[in-house]
Amino acid sequence: MTGMLDGKSALITGAGSGIGRAAALAFVREGAWVAAADRNLDAAKATVAAIEAMGGEAVAIACDVTDDAQVAAMVAAAVNAFGGLDCAFNNAGVAPYQLNSAGVLTADLEEASWLGLIDINLHGVWRCLRHEVVQMRKQGGGAVVNTASILGLIGSGGAAAYVASKHAVVGLTKAAAIDHAPENIRVNAVCPGYIETPMTEETVRRRGEALMARVPMARMGRPEEIAEAVVWMCSDRAGFVTGSCWQVDGGYTAR
C-alpha cells in the first residue's frame, strides 16, 4: 500500500517542534522526503533524527523567515536535496506572549511588538510562499499549505497583532490560490484551535480552563491532528481543493 505523498518532496517551516515536527513525521510516513526548516537548527536536526529513526529521508535547514535571503536559500537547499519541491507547509510563527503583546489592548500595543509579530506571522508566510511558487512554476505545479489560526476567522481581545496577522494569512491564501490556480499550484490554509504545543503552554497556564469551556470537544488538540489535515491538503486526493481554510479546532468556531 502506497502513501499519499509517495515520491514527493516537501518543505516545512517551524519544523523543530509542535505542529511542524508532527507534520514532518506524518509527511515521511506518507512517503515524502522532507526538508525540515527552523530558525533553531538544533531543533530541526532533532526532527531529522526522528525521521531517520523511522526509516525516512530528511535534511535540516536553518532559516529565519524574517530574512528574505535566508528564505530563498532555504527553498534552494530543499530543491538541491531532493531535486524539486512538490509540497510546502509554511508553519513558522510566534504567539503574542513571545513578543510582549499577550493581553495588551489594541491602543496600548508597542509598535515593536506589532511589527515583529506581523513580520513573522504574515510577511514570513508571504516570503516563503513567493519563493516556493516560483519553484513550483518551473515544475508545472505543487501544493502549499499556510498555518493560519481560528483567530484568523474570529476576533479575540488582547491579541490584536496576532488576530490581524492570521486574518491576513487567510486572505493571502485565498488571493494566492486564485492567482496561481492556472499554474496548477494549489494554496490552502489550516486553522488550528488550541493545540498542545510549546507555543500554547503560556496561554493554557493563564486561561486554559476558560478556553476549554468554549471547546465542544472539551480538550486540547494534538499536533498530529493538524498534521493529518495538512498531509491530505498536500496530497493528490485534495486535487480540487484550493483557497480553502480548514478549521481543526474541536468545534470552537462552530459556536
Side-chain angles (χ1 to χ4, degrees), residues 98-250:
Q98 293 173 293
L99 287 172
N100 303 313
S101 64
V104 180
L105 300 182
T106 303
D108 298 329
L109 271 172
E110 295 291 335
E111 185 175 16
S113 295
W114 171 273
L115 293 176
L117 198 148
I118 295 293
D119 196 22
I120 296 171
N121 284 3
L122 172 58
H123 298 164
V125 170
W126 172 76
R127 291 182 188 104
C128 293
L129 176 65
R130 183 167 67 98
H131 288 288
E132 292 154 359
V133 167
V134 167
Q135 173 60 33
M136 290 174 179
R137 275 176 173 162
K138 300 174 185 177
Q139 302 170 194
V144 179
V145 176
N146 300 320
T147 294
S149 168
I150 55 172
L151 296 187
L153 304 171
I154 60 175
S156 181
Y162 187 83
V163 169
S165 72
K166 294 301 186 177
H167 270 72
V169 168
V170 168
L172 171 63
T173 297
K174 293 178 179 181
I178 294 168
D179 283 345
H180 300 293
E183 298 173 296
N184 195 34
I185 298 169
R186 297 185 298 104
V187 186
N188 293 290
V190 64
C191 297
Y194 291 94
I195 310 300
E196 294 174 347
T197 71
M199 188 179 290
T200 61
E201 286 176 357
E202 173 63 17
T203 300
V204 171
R205 183 190 65 78
R206 289 188 294 108
R207 53 194 183 99
E209 186 174 338
L211 289 173
M212 289 307 98
R214 293 192 58 184
V215 180
M217 292 185 72
R219 68 172 176 85
M220 297 279 284
R222 299 186 299 275
E224 294 78 11
E225 291 172 313
I226 308 302
E228 293 299 327
V230 175
V231 164
W232 182 80
M233 283 188 278
C234 283
S235 78
D236 293 339
R237 298 183 189 184
F240 199 52
V241 178
T242 196
S244 294
C245 302
W246 290 69
Q247 299 114 287
V248 186
D249 66 357

